[in-house]
Amino acid sequence: MVFDWSSIWAAWPDLMAGAWMTLKITALGLLGGCVIGALSGIVVTYIQVPINRRNALYGAAVLVLIGLVAHFAGGPLARVPGGVLAALVLAALALLLWRRPEWLGRGASVLAQLFILVIRGTPIVVQVMFIYFALPLLVNLRIDGYTAAIFTLMINSGAYIAEIVRAGLLSVPKGLHEAGLAMGLPFYKIMAYIVGPVALRRMIPTMGNQCIISLKDSSLFIVIGVAELTRQGQEIIATNFRAVEIWGTVAIIYLFMTGCIALVLKVVEHRTRIL
C-alpha cells in the first residue's frame, strides 16, 4: 500500500471544519454542564435527603398526584384552558411551599439525585437519540442535530460534574464552613470566599479528565448526522476510500486537541499550586 499524502491535503479544509464543530459542541456543552453540575452538586451536598420509607412514600404520593392531574387534564378537565390548569397547579405548589418552605430544598435535592442517577446510568448515545428523535414526539418540538448535541453533552457532563463538585465540597474540612457560619456570613459568601476556592483546586484534575472525555464523546453524535470531526472523516472516506490516511489524520487531530487540554490543565494546576 502507498501512503497518499495528497488525499490528506485535499481533505484538510473539511477536517478542520469538523474539528471546529467538535470544539464548539464541547465548549458549549461543558459550559452548560458546569452550571448544571455546580448547582446539582451543591444541592446534593448540603441538602441531604436520605432514601428511606417516609421519603419514598412522599415521592410516591407526588407521582400519584401528577398522574391524577394528567388523567383529569385529558378527561373531565379537558375543557379547562391549559393556562388556568397550570395556574392552579402553580398556586397549589406556592401554597405548599409557603406552609412548608423546607420542602423546596428537599424537592430540589431529590430531583438532582434522580437527574444524576438517570444520566449516569444511561449511555450518551441513548440520551442523544432520545433527545433528537423521541423528545419532539413528546413535547412537539423539533430541534436540529447541532442543538441536540450541545444539549445532550450539557446534561451528560452536568451529571458527572455534579459528582465532582460533591466530592470536592466533601473533601473540604467542615470547620471552614462552620467558621463562616460563626462569622455570620450567608451561604453564598461562604461558598464564594471560603469553601469554594479550596474545593475548586481539588476539582481541577478530575474536571480536566471530564473535559477530555466530553470532547471524545462528541464523536458519538455521528449517529444524528452532526458534522463534527468523525462525521467529516467518514464522509471523506466515502468519496476517496483512503481510510488509513483519513482515520490516521482524524486520530492525530483528536490527540492534538486532548493534548492541548491536558497542557492547559497542567498550567492551571501549577498556578494554583496543586502539585
Side-chain angles (χ1 to χ4, degrees), residues 48-193:
Q48 297 181 356
V49 181
I51 305 300
N52 52 28
R53 185 183 304 173
R54 181 181 177 185
N55 293 329
L57 288 176
Y58 282 143
V62 171
L63 291 177
V64 170
L65 182 61
I66 293 174
L68 288 175
V69 172
H71 174 73
F72 288 121
L77 299 179
R79 295 184 178 180
V80 178
V84 175
L85 192 60
L88 290 175
V89 173
L90 291 177
L93 289 175
L95 178 63
L96 178 64
L97 295 177
W98 177 60
R99 297 293 299 173
R100 304 295 295 268
E102 71 275 8
W103 282 27
L104 179 62
R106 293 180 180 180
S109 180
V110 170
L111 289 177
Q113 291 184 58
L114 288 176
F115 163 71
I116 296 170
L117 178 66
V118 171
I119 299 302
R120 290 177 66 201
T122 54
I124 189 172
V125 175
V126 176
Q127 295 165 14
V128 72
M129 297 283 275
F130 183 86
I131 290 173
Y132 187 68
F133 292 109
L135 197 60
L137 300 177
L138 293 176
V139 299
N140 195 23
L141 176 64
R142 173 64 64 181
I143 55 178
D144 59 286
Y146 175 68
T147 306
I150 293 175
F151 186 65
T152 303
L153 199 60
M154 192 181 297
I155 62 172
N156 183 271
S157 62
Y160 288 95
I161 291 173
E163 286 298 278
I164 294 173
V165 171
R166 187 172 71 91
L169 292 174
L170 290 177
S171 70
V172 178
K174 292 183 180 179
L176 292 179
H177 185 257
E178 294 170 354
L181 293 176
M183 294 170 64
L185 295 177
F187 181 76
Y188 73 90
K189 285 191 175 180
I190 296 175
M191 285 291 104
Y193 300 114

